């Protein structure tokens, strides 16, 4: 730094540089150096070498140390004062008119110059002092700086060390995360070479180390065990796999055996496999169908060997249904929402389609259905297919009749075995057109279904007895029974099956009878021959079916309609009985519950005018003769001869009527059209002149009732 | 259902009607005729089965109701009937009056019951003892109707054989026999010759059935007027100066003695069997007719039908 300061001043003392090599040279010479007096050799540095001790140098700096600044200051002042004085003298002299180059002035000039030189020296000295002072300050400062630096280094070091210490102190060794067994356990369990209690009890560090050792050892041991267990497990797994394969290879073999045993089962009438399969499938049936299956099978086993129950339908779909009912519902609702979103963007035409889809979804059937077969003695079978509508919670039934012989020929019998109406009114007023579940009304309103009747032909008839067989009881039923579920089903099973069988047999019998009636033959069985005389002249000439519309248009049946004895579900027929010129029209109303309900005849006679039961008492009596006496006419159980007996009786009554009519008047013109052949006690009785319509067997005469 | 017979109670407040099922129904006229009559008051207050066969005749004595049907005559006490108790008072089996079901008609006068039946004879029974006193024979076919002339104490009977016989009740001997069908004015061969209705009013007699309804003067034994009614008349009565008759056809015919049909009042049943006038009670002076229907028409004013009782 001091050299820097000197170097700064170098331009000022350029002369010194030039002088320096001289001094160096001079040193090298080793000569004594003489300084030429002169102003240009001012301020040379003192260079003393060890060699040149005798060299005398003039160094102002050395001189500086000797002089006292105060003195110099006084000197300066004096010099200045002198100078001022001299100037003043000069002035005076000049002003006093002295010459320029006079000696006094020259003298004074010389003195001034000397003073000037003194002043310059003093200036120089002052400068040098300043410089020296600065240098000294500088050095001190530097020394201080160095120390300061050292101090800072040390402080930094200290801080660093402190940080390190604190870090070290905070250091959590991993060993602390390891859960070690407690000390007592450790001392108990660990072997002595590890635990080294004599050392570790005193020294925590050693204790921890020992514990870690122990931990390590334990872990090693356990790892070994683990590996061994894994290996064992693998082995066992392999063994299991092998056994499984073996079993699965057995499966086809067992199947074959089962298949082969089927004929044996059938031969022995022990259909185990069938029953097992059925039981398996039955697990997926919805509850009402399951109840029906169980009860029907039980009834079939116990009471009625000709009844058989099967399950048909898609089992996989049923499984899918039962597995994910929530998901499928969510899917449906999601897809509905998506569809709706899509549809609102489209035109309105698709709203109907959407509604249709909703309807279809509501009317969905469970994929499984039951098939109940009722076999009759003559080989005909009534097949009943029971379906369950999931959303509506009702059961429906569809029917099919298969007969041993081919039924044909009877045109009027077309409706009899029609599967739509076969089971109509099995119980009174059970038409099966509307759903018996009142909750369905609200469901229908949501999707715009007005009546269930539109879908009945597709989905089957929801008769009330079907619901009862499935154990479903709805509050709208008349009789509030306490039974539910299986008990309800069981209580109705026998009666319903009997009714079904009776219905089938009645319809088949009617079918046969109709085909015979259409050929104008009244089939009277031998057990009922006693009801009629041997010879019946009037004959049935026509037997046709009518519709409800045609029936209501007839004039002579209005009293029946007014009395409310007829409803649309009944079957209507027209029978024409003729004898000679007389023609008797009989409109027959056949209730679906035949033969529990007697067919109703209404008569109209065309003979010498038109008479009907309303206008003539005798025709009324004939109507009552045919309609009222069920006990006589129904014949042997189960009373399937009822209709034919009624028709036969009608013919007999017409005979009596016609024959006794001509009896009344005597002396009539010409021969009688109907000669009297019947034996009657009395031909007219009472004020209303009633004819004897009652036939007495075996005497064979007619009398009044 | 056909209503064959009617009879009013002695007090005149009740009507008993018999039908072809053997049932007798009791109607309360006072209830039916009262101002606040409802549909219920047109139904019988009592309905019971009296006989197996049709109840062709009903007759009221002062205390009892006599009903005839199926070969038996039963007597019922009016007092009991009014209390709605249908307890049989006494029954008389007239088995000898013919086989099984036949038609009985009777009439009563001073304690003896005149019964005509299927055996073609007329029997007179003492009502107190129930013993048949005498038999009047003469008809060749069963007897339809009987009537009694109080003044001369003569019994008139009409039968299936077409003859109207007049008997003296004291001597039990036939007095006259009129064969109506032989008279050309009355005869209607297309219907037959049977006489089903008879009525007398001192000198006059009405008879009809197969032959037309005709008014006879008994002293001269000749028909004075023949009524041109189309059907066979089953019952006819004299009432004041009118003749009222019912028969085939749903109307009551009002005829005058001269032979003209004054009016034909329509009724509910398609043909009528019986007509009854309640003359005993001035309050309930009605005419009731019944026939081949379960409804019995009631006429308060004889000119039109007021309402119907339903059997």
């Amino acid at each position: 730094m001091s050299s820097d300061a000197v170097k700064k001043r170098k331009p000022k003392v350029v002369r010194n540089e030039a002088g320096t090599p001289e001094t160096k040279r001079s040193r090298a010479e080793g000569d004594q150096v003489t300084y030429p007096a002169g102003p240009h050799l001012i301020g040379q540095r003192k260079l003393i070498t060890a060699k040149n001790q005798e060299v005398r140098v003039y160094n102002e700096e050395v001189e500086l140390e000797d002089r006292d600044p105060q003195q110099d200051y006084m000197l300066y002042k004096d010099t200045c004062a002198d100078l001022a004085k001299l100037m003043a003298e000069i002035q005076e002299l000049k002003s006093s008119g002295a010459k320029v180059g006079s000696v006094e002035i020259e003298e004074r000039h010389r003195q001034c110059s000397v003073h000037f030189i003194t002043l310059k020296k003093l200036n120089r000295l002052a400068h040098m002092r300043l410089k020296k002072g600065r240098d000294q300050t500088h050095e001190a400062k530097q020394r201080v700086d160095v120390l300061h630096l050292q101090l800072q280094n040390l402080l930094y070091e200290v801080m660093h060390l402190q940080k390190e210490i604190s870090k070290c102190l905070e250091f959590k060794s991993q060993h602390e995360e390891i859960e070690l067994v407690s000390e007592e356990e450790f001392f108990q369990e660990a072997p002595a070479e590890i635990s080294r209690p004599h050392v570790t009890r005193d020294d925590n560090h050693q204790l921890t180390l020992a514990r870690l050792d122990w931990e390590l050892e334990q872990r090693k041991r356990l790892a070994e065990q683990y590996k061994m267990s894994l290996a064992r497990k693998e082995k066992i797994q392999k063994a299991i796999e092998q056994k499984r394969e073996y079993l699965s290879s057995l499966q086809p073999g067992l199947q074959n055996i089962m298949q082969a045993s089927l004929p044996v089962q059938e031969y022995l009438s022990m259909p185990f496999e069938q029953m097992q399969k059925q039981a398996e499938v039955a697990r997926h049936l919805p509850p009402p169908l399951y109840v029906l299956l169980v009860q029907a099978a039980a009834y079939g086993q116990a009471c009625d060997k000709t009844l058989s129950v099967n399950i048909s339908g898609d089992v996989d779909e049923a499984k899918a249904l039962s597995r994910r009912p929530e998901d499928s519902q969510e899917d449906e609702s999601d897809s509905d929402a998506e569809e709706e979103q899509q549809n609102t963007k489209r035109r309105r035409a698709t709203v109907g389609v959407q509604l249709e889809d909703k309807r279809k979804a509501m009317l969905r059937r469970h994929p499984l259905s039951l098939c109940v077969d009722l076999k009759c003695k003559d080989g005909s079978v009534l097949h009943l297919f029971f379906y369950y509508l999931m959303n509506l919670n009702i059961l429906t039934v569809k029917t099919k009749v298969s007969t041993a012989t081919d039924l044909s020929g009877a045109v009027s019998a077309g409706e009899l075995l029609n599967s739509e109406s076969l089971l109509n009114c099995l119980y009174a007023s059970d038409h099966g057109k509307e759903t018996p579940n009142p909750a369905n009304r609200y469901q229908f309103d949501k999707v715009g279904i007005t009546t269930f009747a539109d879908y009945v032909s597709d989905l089957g008839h929801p008769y009330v007895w079907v619901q009862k067989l499935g154990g479903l009881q709805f509050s709208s039923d008349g009789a509030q029974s306490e039974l539910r579920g299986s008990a309800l089903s069981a209580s109705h099973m026998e009666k319903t099956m009997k009714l079904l069988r009776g219905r089938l047999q009645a319809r088949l019998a009617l079918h046969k009878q109709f085909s015979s009636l259409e050929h104008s033959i009244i089939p009277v069985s031998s057990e009922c021959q006693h009801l009629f005389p041997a010879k019946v002249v009037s004959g049935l000439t026509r037997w046709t079916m009518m519709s409800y519309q045609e029936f209501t248009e007839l004039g002579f049946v209005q009293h029946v309609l007014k009395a409310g004895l007829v409803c649309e579900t009944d079957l209507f027929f027209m029978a024409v009985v003729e004898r000679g010129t007389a023609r008797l029209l009989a409109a027959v109303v056949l209730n679906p519950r035949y033969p529990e309900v007697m067919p109703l005849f209404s008569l109209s006679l065309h003979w010498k005018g038109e008479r009907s039961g309303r206008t003539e008492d005798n025709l009324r009596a004939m109507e009552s003769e045919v309609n009222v006496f069920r006990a006589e006419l129904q014949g042997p159980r189960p009373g399937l001869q009822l209709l034919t007996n009624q028709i036969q009786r009608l013919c007999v009554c017409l005979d009596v009527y016609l024959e006794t009519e001509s009896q009344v008047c005597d002396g009539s013109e010409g021969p009688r059209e109907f000669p009297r052949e019947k034996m009657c006690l009395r031909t007219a009785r009472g004020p209303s002149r009633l004819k004897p319509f009652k036939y007495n067997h075996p005497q064979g005469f007619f009398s009044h009732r | 259902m056909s209503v064959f017979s009617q009879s009013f109670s002695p007090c005149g407040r009740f009507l008993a009607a018999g039908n072809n099922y053997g049932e007798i129904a009791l109607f309360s006229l006072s209830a039916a005729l009262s101002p606040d009559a409802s549909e219920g008051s047109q139904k019988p207050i009592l309905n019971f089965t009296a006989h197996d066969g049709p109840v062709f005749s009903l007759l009221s004595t002062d205390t009892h109701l006599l009903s005839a049907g199926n070969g038996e005559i039963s007597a019922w006490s009016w007092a009991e009937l009014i209390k709605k108790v249908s307890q049989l008072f006494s029954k008389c089996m007239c088995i000898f009056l013919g086989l099984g079901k036949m038609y009985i008609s009777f009439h009563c006068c001073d304690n003896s019951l005149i019964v005509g039946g299927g055996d073609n004879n007329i029997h007179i029974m003492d009502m107190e003892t129930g013993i048949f006193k005498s038999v009047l024979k003469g008809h060749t076919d069963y007897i339809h109707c009987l009537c009694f002339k109080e003044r001369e104490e003569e019994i008139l009977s009409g039968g299936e054989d077409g003859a109207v016989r007049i008997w003296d009740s004291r001597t039990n001997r036939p007095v006259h026999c009129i064969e109506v069908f032989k008279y050309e004015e009355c005869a209607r061969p297309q219907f037959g010759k049977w006489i089903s209705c008879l009525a007398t009013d001192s000198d006059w007699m009405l008879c009809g059935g197969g032959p037309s309804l005709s008014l006879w003067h008994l002293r001269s034994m000749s028909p004075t007027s023949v009524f041109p009614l189309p059907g066979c008349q089953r019952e006819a009565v004299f009432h004041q100066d009118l003749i009222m008759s019912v028969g085939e056809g749903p109307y009551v015919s009002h005829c005058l003695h001269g032979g003209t049909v004054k009016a034909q009042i329509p009724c509910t049943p398609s043909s009528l069997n019986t007509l009854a006038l309640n003359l005993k009670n001035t309050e309930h002076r009605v005419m009731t007719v019944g026939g081949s229907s379960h409804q019995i028409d009631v006429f308060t004013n004889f000119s039109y039908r007021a309402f119907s009782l339903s059997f």
Side-chain angles (χ1 to χ4, degrees):
Chain A
M1 276 182 261
S2 56
S3 59
D4 280 347
V6 170
K7 277 179 188 164
K8 276 183 196 162
R9 283 197 222 103
K10 264 201 185 162
K12 275 190 193 172
V13 291
V14 162
R15 285 174 285 161
N16 291 342
E17 283 293 316
T20 321
E22 279 178 29
T23 50
K24 278 187 183 171
R25 257 185 285 125
S26 61
R27 257 193 293 121
E29 289 172 54
D31 292 23
Q32 58 179 29
V33 174
T34 56
Y35 288 88
H40 67 281
L41 289 174
I42 302 167
Q44 249 183 352
R45 221 194 278 188
K46 176 181 159 184
L47 294 162
I48 305 173
T49 62
K51 267 169 40 176
N52 305 330
Q53 289 204 356
E54 335 60 55
V55 174
R56 285 189 304 176
V57 291
Y58 174 71
N59 204 332
E60 276 188 328
E61 285 170 2
V62 175
E63 197 186 333
L64 187 64
E65 293 160 13
D66 300 333
R67 295 167 79 106
D68 182 27
Q70 279 299 112
Q71 271 184 334
D72 284 342
Y73 184 58
M74 295 314 297
L75 184 63
Y76 164 68
K77 270 186 154 179
D78 291 340
T79 314
C80 285
D82 280 342
L83 207 59
K85 198 174 74 179
L86 282 170
M87 287 293 165
E89 286 175 3
I90 292 175
Q91 176 65 21
E92 274 183 39
L93 284 170
K94 284 198 173 171
S95 54
S96 57
K99 276 200 289 231
V100 174
S102 68
V103 173
E104 287 106 2
I105 295 175
E106 286 292 321
E107 174 94 28
R108 289 196 174 78
H109 274 181
R110 246 193 289 126
Q111 282 180 342
C112 283
S113 305
V114 170
H115 284 317
F116 271 121
I117 288 167
T118 316
L119 280 179
K120 272 185 147 174
K121 183 167 173 122
L122 287 174
N123 184 31
R124 248 198 339 269
L125 285 177
H127 276 298
M128 278 162 67
R129 275 199 194 100
L130 188 64
K131 184 173 162 242
K132 202 173 160 188
R134 277 207 186 126
D135 284 344
Q136 279 175 343
T137 319
H138 198 71
E139 264 173 47
K141 214 168 96 173
Q142 275 193 336
R143 273 204 302 280
V144 166
D145 275 347
V146 164
L147 286 173
H148 194 74
L149 207 61
Q150 279 179 340
L151 173 68
Q152 285 214 325
N153 279 344
L154 285 172
L155 281 177
Y156 181 70
E157 190 95 22
V158 162
M159 211 170 63
H160 179 74
L161 284 173
Q162 275 182 341
K163 274 202 194 141
E164 290 289 308
I165 287 166
S166 64
K167 253 211 292 191
C168 280
L169 285 175
E170 283 172 14
F171 174 69
K172 285 192 179 341
S173 139
Q174 266 200 335
H175 88 278
E176 288 176 18
E177 289 167 13
I178 302 174
E179 279 179 27
L180 301 169
V181 295
S182 68
E183 282 184 37
E184 300 84 28
E185 258 187 75
F186 165 68
F187 279 122
Q188 276 169 14
E189 286 177 1
E193 64 259 12
I194 297 182
S195 66
R196 293 176 283 139
H198 52 280
V199 174
T200 53
R201 280 202 198 276
D202 302 326
D203 191 353
N204 252 353
H205 174 66
Q206 292 298 324
L207 176 66
T208 318
L209 282 176
R211 284 167 79 185
L212 285 171
D213 282 336
W214 174 234
E215 190 71 24
L216 178 66
E217 199 166 315
Q218 273 190 323
R219 286 197 183 193
K220 276 193 195 151
R221 235 187 314 136
L222 289 173
E224 277 299 315
Q225 275 181 358
Y226 174 68
K227 268 196 217 130
M228 282 193 328
S229 307
L230 263 183
R232 255 212 324 263
K233 182 177 137 191
E234 285 292 311
K235 263 197 290 181
I236 293 173
Q237 193 87 332
K238 280 205 191 83
I240 289 174
E241 278 302 319
Q242 273 181 343
K243 287 189 183 149
R244 267 218 193 108
E245 275 178 36
Y246 177 61
L247 278 177
S248 59
S249 73
L250 277 183
Q251 175 80 333
L254 281 175
Q255 284 283 54
N256 289 340
I257 293 174
M258 296 268 271
Q259 286 288 80
S261 75
L262 268 179
V264 178
Q265 281 179 24
E266 275 178 36
Y267 184 70
L268 293 173
S269 327
M270 293 193 297
F272 284 128
E273 194 189 332
Q274 211 182 26
M275 292 194 323
Q276 255 187 335
K277 261 199 217 148
Q278 212 181 55
E280 171 63 36
V281 177
R283 284 204 350 250
H284 300 287
L285 282 176
L289 281 183
Y290 186 75
V291 168
L292 181 56
L293 169 71
V294 166
Q295 291 301 323
Y299 178 74
Q301 256 188 343
C303 310
D304 193 354
K305 293 285 179 279
T306 56
L307 186 146
S308 66
V309 190
N310 292 310
I311 310 176
S312 59
D314 195 348
V315 185
D316 295 322
E317 247 188 82
K319 279 190 195 148
L321 263 181
S322 61
R323 230 183 293 133
R324 298 253 172 90
E326 306 90 16
D327 284 357
S328 63
Q329 275 180 18
E330 278 175 18
D331 286 345
E332 275 183 33
S333 64
D334 280 345
S335 62
D336 273 351
E338 282 173 16
E339 269 184 50
E340 273 188 64
Q341 282 173 10
Q342 283 175 12
N343 284 343
T344 47
K345 288 179 196 163
R346 296 187 200 151
R347 278 178 241 113
R348 285 217 182 135
T350 53
V351 169
V353 173
Q354 188 195 350
L355 200 59
E356 194 56 44
D357 289 338
K358 270 198 200 150
R359 276 193 210 137
K360 282 210 191 87
M362 171 152 297
L363 298 172
R364 227 164 68 134
R365 289 210 286 228
H366 195 272
L368 293 176
S369 63
L370 281 184
C371 173
V372 176
D373 294 333
L374 286 168
K375 294 190 196 59
C376 296
K377 283 193 208 115
D378 61 351
S380 48
V381 186
L382 175 67
H383 303 281
L384 296 168
F385 302 96
F386 292 96
Y387 302 98
Y388 177 62
L389 298 181
M390 298 184 291
N391 293 323
L392 302 180
N393 193 29
I394 53 173
L395 291 170
T396 61
V397 66
K398 275 196 183 180
T399 62
K400 197 168 81 97
V401 176
S402 59
T403 48
T405 57
D406 184 32
L407 292 178
S408 61
V411 173
S412 57
E415 273 300 307
L416 281 183
L417 294 174
N418 183 359
S419 59
E420 289 283 312
S421 60
L422 178 63
L423 297 180
N424 229 352
C425 296
L426 197 65
Y427 291 86
S429 70
D430 188 2
H431 296 290
K433 287 268 179 270
E434 275 302 329
T435 154
N437 186 357
N440 295 151
R441 181 76 257 146
Y442 302 104
Q443 289 171 299
F444 285 165
D445 285 343
K446 265 196 247 169
V447 295
I449 297 176
T450 42
T451 62
F452 191 66
D454 304 332
Y455 301 93
V456 154
S457 47
D458 247 354
L459 299 170
H461 293 264
Y463 293 113
V464 175
W465 56 268
V466 175
Q467 318 305 324
K468 293 225 173 91
L469 285 185
L472 294 168
Q473 169 95 315
F474 300 112
S475 54
S476 60
D477 290 347
Q480 294 283 348
S481 70
E482 290 306 313
L483 303 170
R484 287 268 180 280
S486 299
L488 181 65
S489 173
S491 64
H492 280 83
M493 179 64 66
E494 187 168 356
K495 186 162 171 221
T496 311
M497 288 301 159
K498 286 208 172 102
L499 279 176
L500 283 168
R501 189 168 268 123
R503 172 64 65 95
L504 177 68
Q505 282 173 337
R507 291 292 169 99
L508 287 173
L510 271 182
H511 203 101
K512 258 194 278 187
Q513 288 165 0
F514 280 14
S515 55
S516 166
L517 287 174
E518 278 183 7
H519 289 107
S520 306
I521 302 169
I522 304 174
V524 180
S525 71
S526 50
E527 301 101 354
C528 306
Q529 280 297 342
H530 65 279
L531 291 170
F532 313 110
K535 186 174 169 199
V536 179
V537 185
S538 309
L540 178 72
T541 53
R542 202 154 61 101
W543 173 261
T544 49
M545 205 175 119
M546 282 198 293
S547 68
Y548 178 65
Q549 202 57 34
E550 287 165 13
F551 181 78
T552 47
E553 283 160 14
L554 290 173
F556 52 94
V557 304
Q558 299 306 316
H559 61 290
V560 171
L561 291 168
K562 253 188 258 176
L565 295 169
V566 162
C567 65
E568 274 200 44
T569 50
D570 296 335
L571 302 165
F572 304 96
F573 300 93
M574 174 70 84
V576 179
V577 179
E578 283 184 20
R579 180 177 170 174
T581 54
R583 219 161 135 256
L584 181 67
L585 296 170
V588 185
V589 179
L590 193 71
N591 193 294
R593 281 169 61 215
Y594 174 87
E596 281 155 24
V597 176
M598 262 183 103
L600 190 64
F601 282 71
S602 311
L603 302 178
S604 162
L605 180 64
H606 294 259
W607 180 57
K608 296 186 187 165
E610 186 177 332
R611 323 164 196 198
S612 81
R614 312 283 68 66
T615 54
E616 186 167 315
D617 286 327
N618 274 311
L619 277 179
R620 223 159 129 240
M622 272 167 72
E623 278 178 1
S624 87
E625 189 72 25
V626 168
N627 284 330
V628 172
F629 300 100
R630 187 207 167 87
E632 292 173 11
L633 287 171
Q634 74 175 4
R637 293 204 64 196
L640 298 173
Q641 305 293 326
L642 187 55
L643 182 65
T644 46
N645 287 347
Q646 277 180 307
I647 298 174
Q648 184 76 333
R649 179 164 275 191
L650 188 64
C651 297
V652 170
C653 289
L654 183 63
D655 271 350
V656 170
Y657 182 95
L658 292 172
E659 286 168 17
T660 51
E661 187 73 1
S662 14
Q663 178 70 19
V664 170
C665 38
D666 275 330
S668 57
E669 325 73 39
R672 293 191 200 131
E673 190 183 348
F674 304 108
R676 175 88 175 283
E677 283 162 22
K678 306 276 183 295
M679 229 182 9
C680 310
L681 283 185
R682 194 166 277 147
T683 50
R685 181 182 80 166
S688 47
R689 322 289 300 154
L690 285 177
K691 297 175 188 298
F693 289 120
K694 180 175 170 205
Y695 178 69
N696 298 298
H697 182 83
Q699 300 90 353
F701 66 92
F702 287 86
S703 62
H704 293 87
R705 283 201 180 265
Chain B
M1 186 195 293
S2 301
V3 174
F4 281 125
S5 49
Q6 298 173 87
S7 179
F8 289 99
S9 62
C11 53
R13 295 201 323 270
F14 296 91
L15 172 69
N19 71 359
N20 62 327
Y21 297 129
E23 295 168 347
I24 297 181
L26 204 67
F27 296 89
S28 164
L29 281 176
S30 38
L33 290 171
S34 69
D36 53 346
S38 63
E39 259 202 52
S41 49
Q42 287 163 4
K43 296 234 183 288
I45 56 170
L46 178 64
N47 191 336
F48 61 96
T49 309
H51 299 275
D52 284 338
V55 180
F56 282 120
S57 300
L58 281 176
L59 191 69
S60 277
T61 60
D62 291 331
T63 50
H64 288 88
L65 175 70
L66 298 164
S67 66
N70 220 15
E72 57 191 25
I73 301 175
S74 309
W76 317 83
S77 157
W78 266 116
E80 300 285 314
L81 287 176
I82 289 171
K83 284 189 237 154
K84 301 188 191 172
V85 174
S86 60
Q87 194 186 8
L88 182 61
F89 181 74
S90 79
K91 191 189 288 207
C92 144
M93 300 290 290
C94 318
I95 7 176
F96 55 86
L97 287 182
L99 282 169
K101 313 160 184 79
M102 38 91 225
Y103 178 48
I104 296 177
S105 65
F106 44 41
H107 212 81
C108 80
C109 60
D110 43 64
N111 252 5
S112 55
L113 187 65
I114 309 168
V115 183
D119 66 342
N120 313 348
N121 299 329
I122 303 169
H123 302 259
I124 303 180
M125 182 182 92
D126 183 33
M127 281 210 284
E128 277 176 21
T129 54
I131 303 172
F132 282 90
K133 294 191 287 198
S134 45
V135 178
L136 306 172
K137 294 192 205 255
H139 279 281
T140 52
D141 213 339
Y142 68 90
I143 295 161
H144 270 280
C145 43
L146 292 167
C147 93
F148 193 72
K149 258 168 70 173
E150 289 94 11
R151 224 179 41 189
E152 284 98 15
E153 299 206 0
E154 283 174 349
I155 301 169
L156 288 95
S157 63
E160 181 74 16
D161 56 357
V164 174
R165 288 182 192 269
I166 307 176
W167 317 77
D168 189 328
S169 61
R170 284 170 298 216
T171 57
N172 293 336
R173 287 193 173 286
V175 174
H176 288 288
C177 170
I178 309 171
E179 286 182 325
V180 180
F181 62 94
K182 294 225 169 103
Y183 288 80
E184 268 189 45
E185 311 92 31
C186 325
R188 290 192 295 193
Q190 71 271 27
F191 286 115
K193 56 184 184 181
W194 41 278
I195 304 292
S196 59
C197 67
L198 268 182
T200 86
D201 179 24
S202 60
D203 294 330
W204 300 95
M205 176 186 80
L206 270 179
C207 67
S212 335
L213 186 68
S214 42
L215 185 65
W216 292 66
H217 188 233
L218 282 174
R219 261 200 268 258
S220 51
M221 291 296 152
S222 61
T224 47
S225 33
V226 176
F227 300 96
L229 293 167
C232 303
Q233 301 308 304
R234 296 176 190 160
E235 188 142 355
V237 291
F238 284 99
H239 176 67
Q240 293 164 355
D241 52 351
L242 273 183
I243 291 165
M244 289 193 265
S245 85
V246 293
E248 277 177 11
Y251 40 79
V252 176
S253 312
H254 291 219
C255 313
L256 297 169
H257 283 247
T260 49
V261 177
K262 183 176 145 203
Q264 288 189 312
I265 321 290
C267 319
T268 337
S270 56
S271 64
L272 294 162
N273 291 327
T274 163
L275 177 142
L277 286 171
N278 191 7
L279 300 167
K280 297 173 206 167
N281 191 327
T282 44
E283 274 173 26
H284 308 305
R285 206 172 73 96
V286 295
M287 173 169 77
T288 55
V289 295
S292 51
S293 157
H294 65 98
Q295 287 184 312
I296 300 174
D297 286 345
V298 178
F299 296 71
T300 42
N301 174 334
F302 297 165
S303 309
Y304 58 85
R305 182 188 82 92
F307 59 92
S308 303
L309 297 168
S310 110
F311 200 113

